[in-house]
Amino acid sequence: MKAFIKKAEFKQFLKDGITIMIGGFLSNGAPERLIDAILETDVKDLTIICNDGGFETSGSGKLIVAGRVKHLIASHIGTNPTVGTLMQEGKMKVTLVPQGTLVEQIRADGAGLGGVLTPTGLSTMVETGKQIIEVKGIRYLLEEPLHADMALIGGAVADQYGNLRYIKSMRNFNPIMATAADIVIVDPREIVDTIDPEQVITSYPLIDYILEVEN
Amino acid sequence: MEDKFTIAKRIALELKNGDLVNLGIGIPTIVADYIDPEKRITLQCENGIIGVGPVSETISDLVNAGGISSTIHPGGSFIDSAVSFGLIRGGHVDVTVLGALEVDEEGSLASWIVPGKRVPGMGGAMDLVTGSKKVIIAMSHTNKGQPKILHKCRLPLTGYRKVGLIVTEMAVIEVKSDGLHLVEVHPAYSIEDVVKATEATLIIDHVNVMKGVES
């Protein structure tokens, strides 16, 4: 971990057109303060990789509603009606990916793998344009790794070293995304002195910056 | 008794002691209310919960796969999305219950997109139907009188040849290699009623009264 930072310092990392992974599942475990900080800038044309399109008032949904997103890569967009509208108007590109494939594409990048072989999506629209590889007589789709310029992590308790544990179901995509981006920034719920080594889920070498928690 | 409760109650009878079960959104969620407390059934949520309990009255950091504040049973655990979908694809989930827009004679299902109209996305459904040992469809028999059980799905598929059992308010239909077997009919309907409301060819050899229905 490099440093604890304030919102203003985080904003300096932002640029038009970058790719950002946003943790959370239907906004549970989403880094809301970092998303709000993006909205305080003029940054646009973002590619967002997130499990879903969030809601219109929370998670990745806030960026979508504000028109900051050029391309959304997600598994589910049904909870945010704006996503469908922007997609139909041709104002935002949406790539839908099965949830288990999406998380494996992210994990593959973070683990240095050239992709994963999954049976999910065979004989559906998902296989269009993808390589099919047979292993031991079983067919799989080759799904390529997904990388981001920045991963924004939420739902966590951080310690002074930058280790993380996650609160309840807020873990979801967060620890996986923390492995697959050039800069990893955490919006913790709470900062404690130390986390028991047996309870650490994301170890500090993976984390670059932690947004300070104001009391 | 309302149709959805009839369906949920019948599906609960399919769950066996020791099963790890994933319940989808909608009618499948209600199945939980009818599980025999004598059976040791564990419910999994794809966002990363093993042993999810009933929804909670208060807003919580723990949400189920529908994004609703929920609880966790003693012995339960939280996992990340990669582990969760590893369990799902890896064949560790015994039963998945989910809704569908269409099911066909080969046991294929469509549930994630109505092109040009509604695109909620597949979420975890493609992985769930691919990896679960048994796939049960919980749905209304028709859509405003239009059959949903078809010769061949017309909408883009969620999974090809994945369904094992279809439970509607009218009937229980088993998917076998030779086609769809009508195995149970609700006492409020005749076999002819079911055949009329079904586009697919039904194999009718031995039909029972739908289990779990008080006459």
Side-chain angles (χ1 to χ4, degrees), chain A residues 25-26 28 75-78 96-100 104 118-120 123-126 167-173 176 189, chain B residues 47 61-63 65-67 78 80-82 85 89 112 116-117 119-124 126-127 130 156-158 160:
Chain A
F25 177 102
L26 293 176
N28 178 240
S75 78
H76 193 271
I77 55 173
L96 285 166
V97 183
Q99 202 169 124
E104 280 301 308
T118 177
T120 303
S123 305
T124 75
M125 272 166 65
V126 169
I167 300 165
K168 299 182 179 177
S169 59
M170 293 172 145
R171 191 179 308 183
N172 54 64
F173 275 69
I176 317 301
R189 180 70 72 83
Chain B
N47 56 321
D61 291 331
L62 193 177
V63 305
F78 297 111
D80 66 52
S81 299
F85 279 90
R89 263 190 329 266
W112 68 280
K117 280 190 182 161
V119 189
M122 65 290 277
M126 283 194 180
D127 298 283
T130 298
L157 296 185
T158 303
Y160 175 66

Side-chain angles (χ1 to χ4, degrees), chain B residues 112-135:
Chain B
W112 68 280
I113 178 172
V114 183
K117 280 190 182 161
R118 211 157 51 85
V119 189
M122 65 290 277
M126 283 194 180
D127 298 283
L128 282 159
V129 301
T130 298
S132 302
K133 286 186 194 141
K134 183 170 188 178
V135 175

Side-chain angles (χ1 to χ4, degrees), chain A residues 183-203:
Chain A
I183 308 177
V184 178
I185 305 159
V186 185
D187 170 10
R189 180 70 72 83
E190 187 188 347
I191 298 170
V192 298
D193 192 31
T194 57
I195 298 172
D196 177 350
E198 291 189 339
Q199 309 301 325
V200 172
I201 301 294
T202 300
S203 303

Side-chain angles (χ1 to χ4, degrees), chain B residues 72-132:
Chain B
I72 188 164
H73 284 300
S77 53
F78 297 111
I79 53 181
D80 66 52
S81 299
V83 173
S84 182
F85 279 90
L87 288 176
I88 290 166
R89 263 190 329 266
H92 306 280
V93 172
D94 297 292
V95 181
T96 192
V97 183
L98 73 170
L101 299 169
E102 296 175 350
V103 189
D104 69 23
E105 283 171 9
E106 294 182 309
S108 297
L109 74 149
S111 64
W112 68 280
I113 178 172
V114 183
K117 280 190 182 161
R118 211 157 51 85
V119 189
M122 65 290 277
M126 283 194 180
D127 298 283
L128 282 159
V129 301
T130 298
S132 302

Side-chain angles (χ1 to χ4, degrees), chain A residues 27-192:
Chain A
S27 305
N28 178 240
E32 299 287 357
R33 291 190 305 150
L34 292 171
I35 295 168
D36 290 341
I38 297 174
L39 288 168
E40 289 164 15
T41 71
D42 297 324
V43 167
K44 59 183 190 304
D45 295 333
L46 299 171
T47 293
I48 298 294
I49 301 170
C50 185
N51 173 59
D52 49 73
F55 297 95
E56 287 178 325
T57 54
S58 68
S60 60
K62 292 190 286 197
L63 295 172
I64 294 163
V65 169
R68 306 300 186 88
V69 183
K70 176 184 68 180
H71 184 191
L72 173 68
I73 301 171
S75 78
H76 193 271
I77 55 173
T79 52
N80 184 345
T82 304
V83 177
T85 308
L86 293 176
M87 186 170 66
Q88 268 158 9
E89 290 171 354
K91 289 178 181 159
M92 183 174 73
K93 181 181 170 190
V94 176
T95 304
L96 285 166
V97 183
Q99 202 169 124
T101 298
L102 183 62
V103 73
E104 280 301 308
Q105 288 182 288
I106 298 165
R107 194 188 65 82
D109 181 82
L113 303 174
V116 290
L117 298 177
T118 177
T120 303
L122 276 172
S123 305
T124 75
M125 272 166 65
V126 169
E127 76 169 36
T128 310
K130 289 175 186 158
Q131 204 179 331
I132 293 171
I133 295 174
E134 199 173 298
V135 181
K136 294 180 180 174
I138 301 173
R139 295 161 71 239
Y140 298 93
L141 283 183
L142 172 65
E143 297 282 4
E144 295 180 1
L146 269 179
H147 185 79
D149 297 304
M150 190 182 283
L152 307 183
I153 306 302
V157 173
D159 71 11
Q160 299 297 334
Y161 302 89
N163 291 309
L164 307 180
R165 69 173 178 83
Y166 296 90
I167 300 165
K168 299 182 179 177
S169 59
M170 293 172 145
R171 191 179 308 183
N172 54 64
F173 275 69
N174 282 306
I176 317 301
M177 288 179 168
T179 68
D182 294 340
I183 308 177
V184 178
I185 305 159
V186 185
D187 170 10
R189 180 70 72 83
E190 187 188 347
I191 298 170
V192 298

